[in-house]
Amino acid sequence: MKKLHTLKHYFGYDAFRPLQEEVIDAILSQEDVLMILPTGGGKSLCYQLPTLMMEGVTVVISPLLALMHDQVVALRANGIAAAMLSSMQDHKESREIEAQLLAGEIRLLYVAPERLNNEWFLTFLHRLPINFFVVDEAHCVSEWGHEFREDYRKLSRLKEAFPTTPVAAFTATATTAVEQDIAEQLHLGEPKRVRGSLFRDNLQIQAQHRIKDGRAQLLTFLKQHTGEAGIIYTLSRKSTETLAAYLRERGVEARAYHAGLSTEAKNTTYADFVADRVQVVVATIAFGMGIDKSNIRFVVHMSLPKTIENYYQEIGRAGRDGLAAETLLLFGAQDIVRQRNFIEELPDTPYRDHALAKLDAMARFAGGEQCRHQAIAAYFDDAIEPCGTACDNCTTPASEKIDITDAARKLLSAIWRTGQRFGLQYVVDVLRGSRDQRILENRHDALSVYGIGEEYSRAQWLTIGDRLLELGAVTIGEYKVYTLTPVGAEILKGTQTVALKKERLTVRKSTPKKPKIDLEGYDADLFETLRTLRMEIATANNIPPYVVFSDKTLKEMAVTRPKNRNEMLQISGVGEVKFERYGEEFLACIGDL
Ligand code: ADP
Ligand code: ZN
């Protein structure tokens, strides 16, 4: 039972999660490994634990400095000798780490991929007793993935340079095609393949059509998350700043984050967020890759992401501690058009078609009515049952649809008869018989479609226009001009019908209530006191609070109120090393109340 003992001693856990043991056993028996497991599934432990049971040092290749840094800090907090070599250290520090490596004092070494192109470094590695390599975020080696990185491609040299050393590759997101590509690019020989279900049952997923700029929907959502940590993704740098300012005015502690900020500003915000000093980060996609903060309680997208891979990875940052977390996607037909125009300007390569196909899949997902978890799983070639409770499509009763074919035909006809030269607002004004100057000047009051659309309000017609965009019946060109597509022509001819969720034509009042998945009955006051203590310890040691103990561990303490060392060690997340460091303080704190 050496594995379980090591698990408890260093990590404080009593049991393995599904699939962890399979990978650990494969690594221990020197096999190559390829593991695909969603964010929060517990991949890190799959290589960290075998390292502790083997001779030698494990070299972990990871794409991001911040991620490596956080991992090293967390490992050291568990009493595990870990180090990193990167551009973050100066010459002297690097020499010291190299000396420690040669002296066998380090178990895990984190390095950036570009190091492996350096001949000197490769020679140095050959002097070390490397037990196995780890390639983290392995989807970056594949051009078919969504985050291909040049410096990762060269990792195919790893097996040339170290033909007998096993390689274990990990990623959270890979379709079967990407999985195959990873195995080929890294020259893995018949790797042990382990593919976890993508289903994250603690994530409550919802997607809504954005009403205007979506801010009212956002505020409603945030009311249910007062004081909790979360990320809000927006498209542009500027919008991160305006939205953060807007939220601050409304009492939400929000900070903007984007690639245009100074390194110092970015680092401060990152550190403040990780340390629970700032509640909400409003960010472009520049924020969050590899973030190792386990108590992110919500993720909001203010507009449609480019791909399901991106989306899944971004929402996956919520709830890594396994407690309930909520995600909200706000989207409009305009998002699809904007992204598509952007992609269409790219050079005509297979990559471009690929990007368009991915965008289409994302748009179908957002507007779709299938279980959200099931739809994501299906995209990654995984079949699961509908979640039943963890997404909006499962929890809101099958919405009633209404047939809007007639209205759609009126709108398409008006676009056609005004010469496909106008924006949607104008066309709607024609339909509603407006006396607007421009309409009169263009003599559009003489058209047969003039004034035939009074049964719907202006806002309702715009929604119908959105529906036509979603269906690909119209496209928006320069100056927001609407034109018909072949699909639109079919609808106009009457060979195809159009339906719409009924509630979209009525204004929605609030977001559906989230069901609670929680450790029930914990003492909230005690939990707050423990959180304060955790913050003090974290600040004193200059580490993030969750590295001391996770929210889940604190809640369990607040439920079971351990009275002594033994009882404390029963709690998930309390290992012997952590107990030696912080256990007594927490025991004293619980005893006092
Ligand atoms: P991933 O790298 O797959 O995104 P992590 O390795 O960061 O996930 O693990 C997510 C969380 O789950 C971490 O807080 C980790 O400590 C915890 N964890 C991992 N394995 C176990 C386990 N066997 N029992 C309980 N918690 C675990
Ligand atoms: Zn569902």
Side-chain angles (χ1 to χ4, degrees), residues 391-442:
C391 80
D392 52 357
N393 283 343
C394 285
T395 52
T396 38
S399 82
E400 228 181 293
K401 286 200 180 182
I402 49 171
D403 184 289
I404 54 159
T405 311
D406 280 345
R409 290 177 65 194
K410 284 183 186 176
L411 188 55
L412 291 167
S413 172
I415 293 170
W416 178 255
R417 292 194 184 276
T418 51
Q420 310 197 85
R421 291 187 290 119
F422 297 90
L424 186 61
Q425 311 255 358
Y426 181 94
V427 177
V428 167
D429 284 346
V430 172
L431 272 179
R432 293 189 28 87
S434 155
R435 307 293 301 165
D436 185 85
Q437 194 64 27
R438 260 172 91 212
I439 293 179
L440 302 180
E441 275 168 18
N442 291 328

Side-chain angles (χ1 to χ4, degrees), residues 204-209 214-222 225 231-233 297-303 305 311 315 318 325-331 392 508 511-512:
Q204 184 72 28
I205 302 182
Q206 37 174 320
Q208 292 174 7
H209 287 273
R215 286 182 177 181
Q217 287 157 294
L218 176 65
L219 289 180
T220 309
F221 178 86
L222 290 180
H225 295 278
I231 308 177
I232 301 171
Y233 286 105
R297 295 269 70 87
F298 63 87
V299 170
V300 178
H301 286 87
M302 296 301 288
S303 63
Y311 171 70
I315 62 171
E326 198 175 6
T327 74
L328 172 66
L329 164 62
L330 296 178
F331 68 100
D392 52 357
R508 219 190 287 190
T511 57

Side-chain angles (χ1 to χ4, degrees), residues 433-464:
S434 155
R435 307 293 301 165
D436 185 85
Q437 194 64 27
R438 260 172 91 212
I439 293 179
L440 302 180
E441 275 168 18
N442 291 328
R443 310 231 167 169
H444 285 155
D445 56 336
L447 293 176
S448 58
V449 291
Y450 181 78
I452 61 167
E454 278 164 354
E455 72 270 38
Y456 288 119
S457 71
R458 203 153 185 278
Q460 287 172 323
W461 277 115
L462 296 179
T463 301
I464 294 167

